[in-house]
Amino acid sequence: MAPAVDVMETNTHTQTQIKSENKQSVQVLEQLLSKLTVSKSQDEINASSQDLASFINGDIEEQDAPTKAVDLLKKQVGNKKDAVARERALDAIRAIAQHSTISPAVEPYLIQLLPTVLTAVGDKMSAVSKAAREAAVSIVQASNANAVKAVLPPIIHSLRNAQKWQEKMADLQCIETLCQSAPAQLAFRVPDLIPVVSEAMWDTKPEVKKAAYGTMEKVCALISNKDIERFIPELIKCIAKPENVPETVHLLGATTFVTDVHEPTLAIMVPLLERGLVERETAIKRKAAVIVDNMCKLVEDPQIVASFLPKLLPALNKNNDTLADPEAREKTKQAIDTLTR
């Protein structure tokens, strides 16, 4: 029985030690944050930020300290009465993300801070807004390429719902950063990005419109399909200027598709085809149906097409019932049959 008692005593001692270390870590963290908040000169701010970043990314007990850091930093960023406290907290977040040896244990906590940081980009104080933008980009740069699935939702949510145009600009910059830091992983998320970046291309703010166009070009550069690569600039133009749809449908109608079609390819093609199917001219409706038919024959997995069916089938069914030209109706029916199959 004696060894069991020894083990229990050892466990109790270890737990007590961990609690003590955690308490100590949290105290050090609070002191470093206080020191940063009262820093005045840029050199002091940089030094205090670096001390805090080194501590968080250092060899500390991975229990209370990172969680407490997130809580403290969120509280500081949300301090409506003190702009300096907000700016310093964002400086700290940036420094943690930019640390030369960022701890894998800290990464998830940084992603947890991203929504708060993106909201802060809309701050009316320009210094706070600038610090928030730098912090947001730093978090995205610091995140592991395989964490794209976790990083992207807060960015997409922010771009879709942001009230301030500055926040949208930061969202677009974050997406462009991911295009550079995690191209292979982001390619799988192109279908999630194209609709939300398309919305930004129609924003009322000219700066957002222009930036969104550039972001869309970078996102579409991730699409790997030899058949449509040369048409991508035209496809992007169609999102910004729907009057280009007929001409682009004509161009694509003359293309023979031979490469396997995957979700990212459909994501950029479907907006064009959706508009082409509701154009006034019967010839455009017919060509759009032919493109749908040809492309969907090259889709191996039915799940790839499934999410796009609600955008294409209703217009095809309507054209099949209303088109006067028998040949156009026949092509439309072929497209419906291919999609259904």
Side-chain angles (χ1 to χ4, degrees), residues 198-231:
S198 298
E199 286 170 27
M201 285 169 71
W202 282 84
D203 199 86
T204 51
K205 197 79 181 170
E207 290 92 335
V208 175
K209 263 181 159 175
K210 188 180 176 184
Y213 199 101
T215 304
M216 183 64 91
E217 288 176 328
K218 289 182 174 65
V219 168
C220 289
L222 303 173
I223 298 171
S224 175
N225 185 297
K226 297 289 179 195
D227 297 332
I228 70 152
E229 266 175 12
R230 66 184 187 277
F231 298 115

Side-chain angles (χ1 to χ4, degrees), residues 148-179:
V148 160
K149 200 174 179 180
V151 176
L152 213 48
I155 297 171
I156 289 175
H157 181 269
S158 170
L159 186 54
R160 195 161 262 156
N161 301 293
Q163 300 298 311
K164 302 286 175 69
W165 68 273
Q166 292 92 337
E167 187 179 337
K168 291 183 180 181
M169 293 289 281
D171 296 325
L172 293 166
Q173 192 178 347
C174 287
I175 293 169
E176 290 187 18
T177 301
L178 284 172
C179 287

